[in-house]
């Protein structure tokens, strides 16, 4: 999870925005994107990303899924 200093905030304040930003930065900093010059989408499709990014991808999926699941309305959105 990224830490923001002071009054820094994301421009996107929608649900799951924090998880999306962390996943994006994790993918862009991975060897697949930096050294192989692939796009983050290609890296995810090839499964050539580190385990930390895989965990963030799963967290992002669960967060988006909780937006559609009516049972989750009362429990709140997953993610941060």
């Amino acid at each position: 999870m990224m830490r923001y200093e002071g009054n820094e905030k994301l421009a996107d304040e929608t649900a799951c925005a924090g998880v999306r930003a962390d996943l994006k930065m994790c993918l862009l900093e991975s060897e697949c994107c930096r050294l192989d010059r692939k796009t983050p989408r290609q890296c995810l499709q090839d499964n050539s990303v580190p385990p930390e990014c895989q965990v963030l991808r799963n967290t992002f999926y669960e967060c988006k899924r909780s937006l559609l699941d009516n049972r989750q309305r009362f429990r709140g959105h997953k993610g941060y």
Side-chain angles (χ1 to χ4, degrees):
M1 184 165 88
M2 293 180 60
R3 300 284 181 214
Y4 301 101
E5 297 179 16
N7 295 331
E8 288 184 67
K9 290 196 174 200
L10 292 173
D12 184 11
E13 293 185 7
T14 59
C16 308
V19 180
R20 180 186 293 120
D22 289 346
L23 176 60
K24 179 180 175 182
M25 291 310 298
C26 182
L27 289 171
L28 289 175
E29 293 171 357
S30 69
E31 289 183 7
C32 180
C33 287
R34 284 187 298 122
L35 301 178
D36 298 340
R37 298 287 186 197
K38 293 183 179 179
T39 65
R41 179 175 291 194
Q42 290 171 335
C43 293
L44 284 173
Q45 289 173 346
D46 295 344
N47 283 333
S48 57
V49 294
E52 301 86 27
C53 295
Q54 291 289 346
V55 170
L56 284 170
R57 181 183 187 190
N58 189 36
T59 305
F60 183 63
Y61 168 77
E62 289 295 328
C63 183
K64 293 301 260 183
R65 183 172 160 236
S66 72
L67 294 175
L68 299 174
D69 189 3
N70 285 331
R71 292 176 293 166
Q72 295 288 340
R73 286 188 319 178
F74 300 107
R75 297 181 193 143
H77 302 303
K78 295 187 178 200
Y80 44 91

